[in-house]
Amino acid sequence: MTHEREIHSPAEFDAVLAAHGSLDGYRIQSVDLTDRTFALLTAPTAGAVFLGCALQPEAAAKVRADGALVFPPVPDLPFAPYRARLYSPEELYEGIAGRPYEETPDALAYGWFQRTKADGDVFSSMLRAIHDDAVSDALDEHLAGARVVGVMGGHRMGRGTDAYAGAARLGRSLTRAGLTVATGGGPGAMEAANLGAYTAPFDVGVLDEALELLAKAPSFLPSVTDWARAAFGVRARWPRGGDSVGIPTWFYGHEPPNAFAGHIAKYFANATREDGLLARSTAGVVFLPGAAGTVQEVFDNATPNYYGSRGAPTPMVLVDRDHWTERLPVWPLLCALAEKRPMAARIALVDSVEEVPEALARLAP
């Protein structure tokens, strides 16, 4: 089964029937087919799978009789478990211009997660797993053929700081070098790198202006609403920015997703999210200064590089010599692990973000 056998929209549904006259073996994800009843009643559908599609009762009965599997929509959920595409900032923050963050789809999904994550209900856990698998599938489709570089760093890095501006310049330079920036999708260093990617198509002065505007709401605390509205204000002033990917999680519900990643793969399971982000960073990973979460990510990435479990090791660049050798001495341990192994040629420690593009190019296989 390949992605070419998936149908994600009414237009794709019509195109498949026009070309083949059959839905045999296709997977139709979250498509409203209530006005395609005649087509469903007349087309062969054996082996098809309908995932969260709205169907008229007679259409549902007919395709089941053909031998198709029908997974109906689940009512009263604040998210679509069978979704076919990644999220957009506009989708997660729908209504943020006139309503508080607590009423957005992102916050409602987090509230559902909080209510169900420990209730022991297999149905809730199944819905979370289905959703996360659908997101992974959409992420693979979106990143097919892309050269992805991960940018990791702490969520506490505030807007208006030199460190935030540096992370934004890094995201901008990586995007301009033809790489797809992928971050953990949250605030701080993650937002800054996605912001840099967003401003990559514009003159450098746009990034400087955007940094000034965002500094007026330096943190998502105490108000996610004000923090998010500042970001959407920047997007409105400079629309159609560059694309990047954010991969956040509702597991850390206190960290809202940032609005500068053009495509957002948001997960319920943090372990799936962490491993997926690092595994898809095929062009390397950059580690900005961070705390426990970033340290974990360093060694989550180092482990497959050490064992070669994902193939040849990929570049790892740690930024800020003092941070990674004195404050949190990760670099000496990483060097000790890498000694006499292929990954030794794929790690680097640099002093500033300006050195990162050259280091990535030097470390590339």
Side-chain angles (χ1 to χ4, degrees), residues 62 79 108-109 111 159 201 277 291-292 322 331 359:
K62 184 268 181 184
F79 63 94
L108 295 176
R159 295 169 174 174
L277 171 55
D322 180 70
W331 177 249

Side-chain angles (χ1 to χ4, degrees), residues 339-365:
E339 187 176 2
K340 297 181 180 179
R341 302 187 79 90
M343 69 177 287
R346 301 286 178 262
I347 62 173
L349 175 65
V350 299
D351 292 306
S352 68
V353 294
E354 284 74 22
E355 301 172 70
V356 170
E358 185 278 329
L360 284 172
R362 172 167 45 85
L363 298 177

Side-chain angles (χ1 to χ4, degrees), residues 3 14 25 36 43 54 67 74 79 97 99 103 167 179 193-194 215-216 254 257 266 278 288 307 311 314-315 338 352:
H3 293 307
D14 295 340
R36 301 296 197 280
V74 181
F79 63 94
R99 295 181 298 184
E103 297 179 17
L179 297 165
N194 289 129
K216 298 174 183 178
H254 63 286
K266 190 150 192 179
L278 294 169
L288 299 172
Y307 288 111
T314 52
S352 68

Side-chain angles (χ1 to χ4, degrees), residues 89 93-102 104 224-226 228-229 232:
Y93 281 104
E94 183 181 1
I96 191 67
R99 295 181 298 184
Y101 167 72
E102 289 73 19
T104 63
V224 176
T225 303
D226 293 343
R229 286 175 179 171
F232 279 100

Side-chain angles (χ1 to χ4, degrees), residues 263-278:
H263 291 82
I264 300 174
K266 190 150 192 179
Y267 288 88
F268 289 106
N270 185 52
T272 305
R273 166 250 193 172
E274 290 275 10
D275 185 69
L277 171 55
L278 294 169

Side-chain angles (χ1 to χ4, degrees), residues 1-353:
M1 179 61 60
T2 66
H3 293 307
E4 287 72 24
R5 304 291 288 180
E6 297 175 5
I7 295 174
H8 298 157
S9 69
E12 291 179 8
F13 178 90
D14 295 340
V16 167
L17 281 185
H20 306 292
S22 172
L23 296 170
D24 287 354
Y26 278 86
R27 278 67 174 124
I28 304 95
Q29 287 180 259
S30 293
V31 181
D32 186 345
L33 298 174
T34 52
D35 61 353
R36 301 296 197 280
T37 299
F38 179 77
L40 291 167
L41 292 176
T42 56
T45 58
V49 179
F50 294 84
L51 298 166
C53 298
L55 301 166
Q56 296 287 2
E58 60 268 35
K62 184 268 181 184
V63 300
R64 285 192 178 102
D66 280 353
L69 289 176
V70 178
F71 294 79
V74 181
D76 303 321
L77 278 181
F79 63 94
Y82 305 107
R83 64 178 301 113
R85 293 183 175 83
L86 298 178
Y87 292 98
S88 68
E90 293 83 359
E91 181 180 0
L92 290 175
Y93 281 104
E94 183 181 1
I96 191 67
R99 295 181 298 184
Y101 167 72
E102 289 73 19
E103 297 179 17
T104 63
D106 183 68
L108 295 176
Y110 175 62
W112 177 89
F113 179 46
Q114 287 293 95
R115 292 190 302 273
T116 63
K117 66 180 181 181
D119 64 7
D121 185 355
V122 67
F123 184 56
S124 297
S125 60
M126 181 192 72
L127 290 173
R128 293 193 295 269
I130 290 172
H131 168 274
D132 286 1
D133 190 69
V135 167
S136 290
D137 183 68
L139 185 59
D140 286 337
E141 291 176 13
H142 178 70
L143 293 178
R147 297 167 58 221
V148 181
V149 59
V151 179
M152 312 297 164
H155 71 275
R156 295 186 180 274
M157 186 183 288
R159 295 169 174 174
T161 64
D162 290 342
Y164 185 96
R169 292 195 303 273
L170 173 63
R172 186 176 189 274
S173 63
L174 293 174
T175 302
R176 287 201 153 193
L179 297 165
T180 296
V181 170
T183 77
M190 297 171 280
E191 180 189 55
N194 289 129
L195 168 66
Y198 185 85
T199 61
F202 308 121
D203 182 86
V204 68
V206 169
L207 176 57
D208 295 335
E209 288 187 64
L211 290 169
E212 290 183 18
L213 291 172
L214 292 171
K216 298 174 183 178
S219 173
F220 62 95
L221 298 173
S223 173
V224 176
T225 303
D226 293 343
W227 177 84
R229 286 175 179 171
F232 279 100
V234 168
R235 289 175 58 98
R237 183 166 178 179
W238 294 286
R240 297 180 295 280
D243 191 27
S244 63
V245 172
I247 307 181
T249 174
W250 280 294
F251 182 81
Y252 295 133
H254 63 286
E255 293 184 17
N258 77 72
F260 293 110
H263 291 82
I264 300 174
K266 190 150 192 179
Y267 288 88
F268 289 106
N270 185 52
T272 305
R273 166 250 193 172
E274 290 275 10
D275 185 69
L277 171 55
L278 294 169
R280 290 173 176 85
S281 297
T282 52
V285 183
V286 179
F287 298 93
L288 299 172
T294 310
V295 171
Q296 176 183 339
E297 288 162 345
V298 169
F299 292 104
D300 280 347
N301 196 50
T303 300
N305 280 348
Y306 179 89
Y307 288 111
S309 55
R310 293 184 187 137
T314 52
M316 299 176 64
V317 180
L318 279 62
V319 181
D320 191 329
R321 191 174 303 273
D322 180 70
H323 183 85
W324 294 119
T325 60
E326 300 296 331
R327 184 167 180 266
L328 295 175
V330 165
W331 177 249
L333 178 53
L334 189 62
C335 289
L337 281 172
E339 187 176 2
K340 297 181 180 179
R341 302 187 79 90
M343 69 177 287
R346 301 286 178 262
I347 62 173
L349 175 65
V350 299
D351 292 306
S352 68
V353 294

